[in-house]
Amino acid sequence: EERLLVDDLNFNLPPGGIVGIIGPNGAGKTTLFKLITKELEADQGSIAIGDSVQLGYVDQNRDTLDPNKTIWEVITDGQDTLQIGSLQINSRAYVARFNFAGQDQQKKVGVLSGGERNRVHLAQILKSEANVLLLDEPTNDLDVNTMRALEEALVNFAGCAVIISHDRWFLDRIASHILAFEGDSQVVWFEGNYSDYEKDRRRRLGEAASQPHRIKYRHLTRD
């Protein structure tokens, strides 16, 4: 709609980093993921993905699960033992870490709630061979135990994770970098967690910048 979402953004994902992406709804956060996965193409600029990169993407729709399979089957592909990084782990013990214990593992995916489907997707992606994870609002509808399992898995993840989230406490605990959509088509790359970013933002823009306000965009101009 001739709105400029991102202008003059330049960054490199750090090896082993956990990058939190923050900003109001409609700012362009999910659009950035779609650019990285080549679902969309940028009007200008380029995105370079290394030859060794294997992307793992969990979007907000989470509608790609086979409804006729059980939770255990979907997560483990029917294997009794899983290779998670350098560790071998019993598959049922792994599924239980995402708060699916006992008979719950035999529930069909088609009857799951949104929060349960979220947990299944996270369990899938964290055991995959992906070395760059793109997670769009992964903490939605998670219980406390699964939140802890997610945090532990991300902190111990050997690759890089990029996470869209409105949960500032979650980002405080895990993020090594912040990518902030601040409005007026500006996106700021910051090294540090959410609290560090907020201090820097107040220093740059003043206390008024922390008050809720409707996001603004510049109009797209074409040569």
Side-chain angles (χ1 to χ4, degrees), residues 49-61:
I49 299 176
D51 293 336
S52 63
V53 168
Q54 297 186 60
L55 291 174
Y57 181 25
V58 177
D59 64 17
Q60 291 191 56
N61 294 324

Side-chain angles (χ1 to χ4, degrees), residues 43-161:
D43 295 276
Q44 295 180 5
S46 62
I47 295 176
I49 299 176
D51 293 336
S52 63
V53 168
Q54 297 186 60
L55 291 174
Y57 181 25
V58 177
D59 64 17
Q60 291 191 56
N61 294 324
R62 304 183 178 108
D63 57 359
T64 58
L65 302 175
D66 187 337
N68 298 312
K69 289 187 176 181
T70 67
I71 291 171
W72 179 78
E73 288 172 332
V74 166
I75 294 175
T76 68
D77 295 322
Q79 300 179 62
D80 291 325
T81 303
L82 299 177
Q83 188 74 33
I84 308 295
S86 60
L87 300 176
Q88 282 198 337
I89 183 171
N90 177 275
S91 65
R92 294 199 178 273
Y94 176 76
V95 175
R97 291 173 60 183
F98 295 86
N99 211 21
F100 294 117
Q103 288 302 309
D104 282 348
Q105 297 188 9
Q106 299 309 119
K107 287 170 65 174
K108 291 293 181 67
V109 168
V111 303
L112 300 182
S113 67
E116 289 172 324
R117 294 175 71 86
N118 190 4
R119 283 187 271 145
V120 171
H121 267 293
L122 290 173
Q124 272 189 320
I125 202 70
L126 289 170
K127 78 168 183 62
S128 72
E129 295 182 355
N131 52 22
V132 176
L133 303 181
L134 307 178
L135 307 179
D136 196 343
E137 297 286 359
T139 62
N140 283 359
D141 304 316
L142 291 188
D143 57 85
V144 173
N145 289 336
T146 310
M147 280 278 288
R148 289 174 178 165
L150 173 60
E151 290 174 10
E152 180 184 354
L154 288 171
V155 169
N156 292 316
F157 182 60
C160 178

Side-chain angles (χ1 to χ4, degrees), residues 2-9 22-28 180-188 197 201 204-205 208-209 211 213-221:
E2 298 303 310
R3 294 180 303 179
L4 186 64
L5 291 181
V6 176
D7 185 34
D8 194 26
L9 171 62
I22 62 174
N25 290 332
F181 287 70
E182 293 188 342
D184 292 324
S185 310
Q186 295 300 299
V187 186
V188 173
Y197 161 76
R201 185 168 183 256
R204 290 185 289 109
L205 304 177
Q211 301 304 312
H213 60 279
R214 185 181 297 276
I215 191 169
K216 296 180 180 179
Y217 308 89
R218 294 208 298 273
H219 284 292
L220 181 66
T221 58

Side-chain angles (χ1 to χ4, degrees), residues 154-220:
L154 288 171
V155 169
N156 292 316
F157 182 60
C160 178
V162 188
I163 304 165
I164 296 172
S165 180
H166 289 95
D167 189 333
R168 65 184 63 186
W169 293 278
F170 173 68
L171 294 179
D172 257 351
R173 289 190 290 269
I174 66 164
S176 60
H177 297 72
I178 296 291
L179 191 64
F181 287 70
E182 293 188 342
D184 292 324
S185 310
Q186 295 300 299
V187 186
V188 173
W189 174 259
F190 179 82
E191 186 170 341
N193 65 13
Y194 181 87
S195 292
D196 295 331
Y197 161 76
E198 270 297 307
K199 291 176 185 176
D200 180 73
R201 185 168 183 256
R202 287 194 294 269
R203 178 187 61 79
R204 290 185 289 109
L205 304 177
E207 290 293 336
S210 297
Q211 301 304 312
H213 60 279
R214 185 181 297 276
I215 191 169
K216 296 180 180 179
Y217 308 89
R218 294 208 298 273
H219 284 292
L220 181 66

